[in-house]
Amino acid sequence: MSDAGDPPTAKPAPAVTTRAATAIVIADMVGVGVFTSLGFQVVDITSGFTLLLLWFVGGVVALCGAFSYAELAAMFPRSSGEYNFLTRAYGPAFGFMAGWLSATVGFSAPVALAAMAFGQYAQAILPGAPPLPLGLAAIAATTALRLGGGHHGNAIQVGFTLVKLALIVLFIVAGFAGGGGGSIGFLPSASDPGQIFSASFAVSLVFVMYAYTGWNAATYIVGDLADPPRSLPRALFVGTGVVLVLYVALNAVFLYTTPRAELAGQIEVALISGRHVFGEAGGRLVGLLICLGLIPTISAMMWIGPSVTVAMGEDVPLLAFFARRSRTGVPVAATLLQAAIASLLLLTRSFEAVLEFIQFGLILSSFLAVLGVIRLRVTRPDLPRPVRAWGYPVTPLVFLGVTLFMLVHLVASRPVQALASLLLMGVGLVLFRVADRHARRRGRAQGR
C-alpha cells in the first residue's frame, strides 16, 4: 500500500543522538516492574543466589534479543520497530498486524500503568492527594514536553534519565552502606539447582522479562538516528547492559536490607525496603525516587510509540493524517492519539486488563521479529547487513527458546487473555484488508 500516495511532506525530525537513544532504552525499561515483582518471587524461591540469577538470566535474554534487533534495524533503518521488521520478513499483512497492536494499546497501556503508578507513589510524598489527577497530569506534562521538544528533545530525555539513574544508584549505595537486615544469603548452595529448574523459577521469569520490556526501544526511532549502524547497536547494548546491572543490584539491595517475610507477597517492595534503608522517612524518599523515575519512562514511551502510527500513516492512505509532522518534526496527531488512548485507559481503570491480554501479542511480535533474522539469513543472504547479530545463531535461538516457553506458559495459565490478544491481532488483519482494498480502488481511480 506504500505506493498509493506519497506521505505528507514535513520538516524531518531532528536527529536523535546516541546518548539520547541510550537514555530512551534505559528509561523505557526501568519502570514499575523492578520495584514490585520481587515480593511474589520470594514466596516460592528462598535462595538469594537463585533470585539474583533470575534477574541476570532475564537480562541475558534481553541482550540476545537486542543483538537480533540490531541486525534487523541496521538492515531496514526505518522507525517503527516490529511493524517494519515483520513487513520486511513476512509481508505487509503481518507488519500491519504488529503495528495495529502497538499503535492502539501496545504503548498506551504501559503509559497508563506508569501514570497510575506515578499517582499512587506520589501519595507517599503528598498524603491524601488523589492518584488519578496526578496520573493524568503526568501524561499531559510529558505529552506537552514531547510536542514542544523539537531540538531540545534529546537534552530533555537525557537529563530525565540521568536524574533517574542517579537516584537509583543513590538508593543502591545507601542500601549496601547501611548494613544488612535481610534474612537471605547470596552464596550458592546445594539446594539451588532444584530451585533453578523448578516451575516457580520458570513462572517468575515471565514477570522478570516483562520488567525488561523496552530493550528494543531504540529500534522504534532508528530512522531518526544520525548514524544507525553505529549508534543503534551502542544504544541497545549499553542501555540493556546498564539495566541488567541495575536490576541485579536493586534486587540485591531489597534482599540485603529487608527480611524475606516482610517482602513475601507484597507489591510495594521498594517502599518497604526504603524504610529499612532510610528509616521511617524512607517511604517518602523512595516514593520521590520512583515518581521522578517514572517521568522519563512515560516520556520515552510518548516519544517512541507514535513512530509506529507515523509509519503506518506513510504507507496506508486511510491513515495519512497521522504521518504529518510539525515544523519541528514532531508527529503531533500520532502523539495526541497515544496520549488520548492512555488517558482514556487511565480514566476507565481498565488498562491493567488490557495490559494482560496484549502481553501475548507483544511477545509473539518479538518472537516473529527475531525468527525473521534467521528467515532472512536463509531467504535473502544477499541483503546488506551493516550490523550482524553477535553470537548468531546461538543468541537468536536463546531468545526464541525463552519467548516460546513464555508464550506456551501464557496460553496455559491465561487462555482467555491469550485468545483475546489473538482476536485483537485478527482485527488488525481485517483492517489491513479494508485498507488494502481502499488503496487499490484509489490507485485504479487515479490511473483512469
Side-chain angles (χ1 to χ4, degrees):
M1 287 182 288
S2 58
D3 59 349
D6 296 327
T9 58
K11 184 177 179 179
V16 178
T17 64
T18 303
R19 186 176 300 176
T22 305
I24 287 172
V25 173
I26 294 172
D28 195 35
M29 292 174 73
V30 184
V32 183
V34 70
F35 297 114
T36 58
S37 59
L38 182 65
F40 300 101
Q41 295 160 12
V42 299
V43 172
D44 297 312
I45 301 176
T46 59
S47 165
F49 175 82
T50 301
L51 287 166
L52 295 187
L53 181 64
L54 181 69
W55 287 91
F56 179 78
V57 169
V60 170
V61 174
L63 277 172
C64 289
F67 293 143
S68 296
Y69 268 54
E71 177 171 321
L72 288 170
M75 290 169 63
F76 312 119
R78 186 191 187 194
S79 299
S80 62
E82 289 84 8
Y83 169 71
N84 181 32
F85 302 153
L86 269 60
T87 297
R88 298 283 191 160
Y90 305 101
F94 279 87
F96 190 95
M97 177 184 66
W100 159 257
L101 189 67
S102 295
T104 51
V105 289
F107 284 96
S108 298
V111 166
L113 182 60
M116 178 53 71
F118 175 88
Q120 290 173 338
Y121 279 107
Q123 289 183 308
I125 310 166
L126 304 169
L132 183 59
L134 290 173
L136 291 170
I139 294 176
T142 52
T143 301
L145 284 173
R146 174 61 184 137
L147 293 176
H151 292 282
H152 302 292
N154 285 286
I156 292 171
Q157 189 63 49
V158 171
F160 274 154
T161 304
L162 287 176
V163 170
K164 181 177 193 171
L165 290 176
L167 291 170
I168 292 175
V169 171
L170 174 64
F171 181 83
I172 292 171
V173 172
F176 283 124
S183 56
I184 294 181
F186 300 118
L187 295 177
S189 66
S191 64
D192 285 325
Q195 296 193 47
I196 292 170
F197 295 101
S198 68
S200 298
F201 187 93
V203 170
S204 296
L205 186 59
V206 174
F207 297 98
V208 167
M209 289 308 302
Y210 171 73
Y212 276 102
T213 299
W215 52 265
N216 57 349
T219 64
Y220 288 91
I221 54 169
V222 63
D224 295 332
L225 297 179
D227 184 10
R230 175 180 173 273
S231 58
L232 179 74
R234 291 188 180 187
L236 292 177
F237 305 159
V238 173
T240 306
V242 167
V243 172
L244 189 160
V245 173
L246 287 179
Y247 277 7
V248 173
L250 264 176
N251 283 279
V253 166
F254 296 156
L255 295 169
Y256 180 72
T257 59
T258 312
R260 175 174 169 268
E262 292 186 31
L263 296 174
Q266 300 300 314
I267 296 178
E268 298 176 340
V269 171
L271 292 178
I272 296 171
S273 177
R275 296 190 185 101
H276 285 270
V277 175
F278 300 108
E280 286 303 317
R284 291 192 176 186
L285 288 173
V286 175
L288 176 63
L289 181 156
I290 295 176
C291 283
L292 292 176
L294 285 171
I295 291 297
T297 297
I298 298 171
S299 176
M301 288 187 283
M302 289 305 303
W303 187 333
I304 65 178
S307 66
V308 181
T309 313
V310 169
M312 295 176 71
E314 292 171 348
D315 295 343
V316 182
L318 278 175
L319 305 177
F321 174 74
F322 295 106
R324 297 175 182 173
R325 294 179 181 268
S326 68
R327 288 179 297 176
T328 56
V330 177
V332 176
T335 302
L336 291 176
L337 174 66
Q338 180 170 301
I341 296 175
S343 300
L344 180 62
L345 291 174
L346 192 57
L347 287 170
T348 59
R349 308 292 182 93
S350 62
F351 61 89
E352 289 183 85
V354 172
L355 196 63
E356 283 189 1
F357 89 76
I358 67 170
Q359 189 177 16
F360 181 88
L362 296 177
I363 294 173
L364 180 59
S365 294
S366 295
F367 178 89
L368 291 173
V370 173
L371 184 63
V373 174
I374 300 175
R375 186 176 189 274
L376 289 170
R377 286 279 188 111
V378 175
T379 60
R380 295 297 308 276
D382 57 307
L383 287 174
R385 289 173 170 82
V387 176
R388 287 181 172 265
W390 184 88
Y392 180 91
V394 175
T395 49
L397 290 176
V398 168
F399 182 87
L400 291 172
V402 173
T403 50
L404 180 61
F405 163 78
M406 293 167 63
L407 290 170
V408 172
H409 167 76
L410 287 171
V411 170
S413 62
R414 292 180 172 84
V416 175
Q417 291 90 332
L419 178 60
S421 188
L422 288 173
L423 288 175
L424 180 64
M425 297 172 79
V427 170
L429 289 176
V430 172
L431 292 177
F432 169 79
R433 296 302 178 193
V434 172
D436 186 49
R437 290 177 181 175
H438 173 268
R440 292 177 186 276
R441 286 197 300 268
R442 182 186 181 194
R444 287 193 297 268
Q446 290 177 343
R448 292 175 182 173

